Amino acid sequence: MKINVGNTERLLRIIAGIIIIGVGIYYQSWWGVVGLIPLLTGLFRFCPLYAMLGMNTCKR
């Protein structure tokens, strides 16, 4: 896996993922599971959709 998520976007994805998971837990909804997507893409710094579209926000 090639890194394709930049530092700023990584931080925003992690924060958004945690918030979505927290809201899902608070409302006892399965929608909180959706928060795993931005959380994991932020932690691994790889977005499969970006790879398919040929996008890269990493400055390296």
Side-chain angles (χ1 to χ4, degrees):
M1 290 188 307
K2 183 179 174 187
I3 294 173
N4 63 2
V5 175
N7 289 332
T8 304
E9 185 177 359
R10 176 183 186 211
L11 181 63
L12 291 174
R13 285 175 183 248
I14 292 171
I15 292 170
I18 290 171
I19 290 172
I20 294 169
I21 291 169
V23 169
I25 291 170
Y26 179 78
Y27 287 109
Q28 298 177 353
S29 170
W30 284 100
W31 280 102
V33 176
V34 174
L36 288 175
I37 296 169
L39 181 63
L40 292 175
T41 58
L43 291 175
F44 290 115
R45 299 188 73 181
F46 176 76
C47 179
L49 182 61
Y50 277 11
M52 287 189 292
L53 297 175
M55 295 176 61
N56 187 352
T57 61
C58 187
K59 292 183 181 179
R60 292 189 204 178

